[in-house]
Amino acid sequence: MLQLCGVHVGYGRTEVVRGVDVEVPDGQVVAVLGHNGAGKTTLLRAAVGLLPLRSGAVLIDGDDVTRARPHQRVRRGLAYVPQGQQSFGQLTARENLLLVADVAGAAGSRRVDEALDLFPALREVLSRRAGLLSGGQRQQLAIARALVTGPRVMVLDEPTEGIQPSVVAEIEGAVVQLAADGLGVLLVEQHVGFALGAASRYHVLESGRVTATGAGGAEQQDVVRAAMAL
């Protein structure tokens, strides 16, 4: 379980996130929604240790990791897939996965196979350089690479940005499957339909504060869109 408790974080003199509480239980998808500039990515960067908190706390399985560095949080089971379909473009898709698998030791090969089972289309492009893959393939590769670390909680930042609808559906299915397998997922997303379809709970962020929260589900779209319009 990942818990963000009263998180305040910002850049320089500007406070961007103000007193946010978010809990991501094992086996659930929790979505954070909001317009550009609401503070969503800043919140995620604080959760994974890329930005220091001004106040508040980050807990993993009840242990305070607020002062832990990013690689220490990875060892505790936290994985981060940042915005932008990031990969090592000059390496093949297989090499991108093996970079992480080698660090994972004996479990690495098994985790690569499991990740490829989740995204079977990647098997057809393993020998292709990552920089030549489509945006959807690169996003699937980024998620697969994160899974090879063996996380208990995955943090996803805008996984559907710039991706064709057919691949969006595949990624949504993968996220739902990961949660069903016991993984906690903290999802930042502007695609409301995708987010609510996958999430068991949502939070709307506006100007760094949570302005609405509730149960997930596609039937909540009108409620969330209204909250985001405020």
Side-chain angles (χ1 to χ4, degrees), residues 6-226:
V7 168
H8 289 257
V9 65
Y11 305 91
R13 296 182 180 181
T14 303
E15 189 169 60
V16 178
V17 173
R18 304 172 176 87
V20 169
D21 295 295
V22 174
E23 183 175 293
V24 186
D26 295 341
Q28 292 189 28
V29 180
V30 176
V32 176
L33 303 158
H35 297 296
N36 287 335
K40 305 185 301 299
T41 293
T42 298
L43 179 67
L44 295 196
R45 288 173 60 82
V48 301
L50 294 174
L51 284 175
L53 269 61
R54 295 183 173 182
S55 62
V58 178
L59 284 70
I60 298 177
D61 294 333
D63 295 331
D64 192 332
V65 297
T66 306
R67 298 186 181 277
R69 298 179 68 83
H71 71 273
Q72 294 171 320
R73 300 187 197 198
V74 171
R75 290 174 183 166
R76 292 298 307 271
L78 191 61
Y80 178 43
V81 181
Q83 189 176 10
Q85 306 141 24
Q86 296 186 18
S87 62
F88 298 101
Q90 295 302 311
L91 301 180
T92 66
R94 178 183 285 106
E95 289 168 339
N96 269 266
L97 296 173
L98 293 180
L99 275 177
V100 183
D102 289 344
V103 176
S109 179
R110 171 180 56 81
R111 291 175 184 169
V112 168
D113 286 337
E114 291 172 350
L116 292 175
D117 287 342
L118 191 66
F119 297 114
L122 286 179
R123 293 187 185 276
E124 302 174 7
V125 296
L126 285 175
S127 61
R128 191 176 303 170
R129 283 195 300 176
L132 300 178
L133 301 179
S134 69
Q137 290 168 334
R138 288 196 304 273
Q139 187 63 276
Q140 290 175 324
L141 178 61
I143 297 172
R145 191 175 60 228
L147 289 171
V148 178
T149 67
R152 295 187 57 198
V153 180
M154 178 172 287
V155 177
L156 293 172
D157 192 358
E158 303 279 9
T160 69
E161 183 183 38
I163 293 176
Q164 59 268 42
S166 61
V167 180
V168 169
E170 292 175 11
I171 291 176
E172 179 179 354
V175 170
V176 170
Q177 182 60 55
L178 289 171
D181 291 341
L183 193 73
V185 180
L186 177 57
L187 170 68
V188 155
E189 183 58 63
Q190 289 197 62
H191 190 309
V192 174
F194 164 80
L196 293 177
S200 55
R201 192 156 191 82
Y202 72 85
H203 302 277
V204 174
L205 204 63
E206 180 66 32
S207 299
R209 299 183 186 277
V210 172
T211 57
T213 188
E219 67 279 4
Q220 300 296 323
Q221 287 192 52
D222 289 343
V223 173
V224 172
R225 292 184 192 279

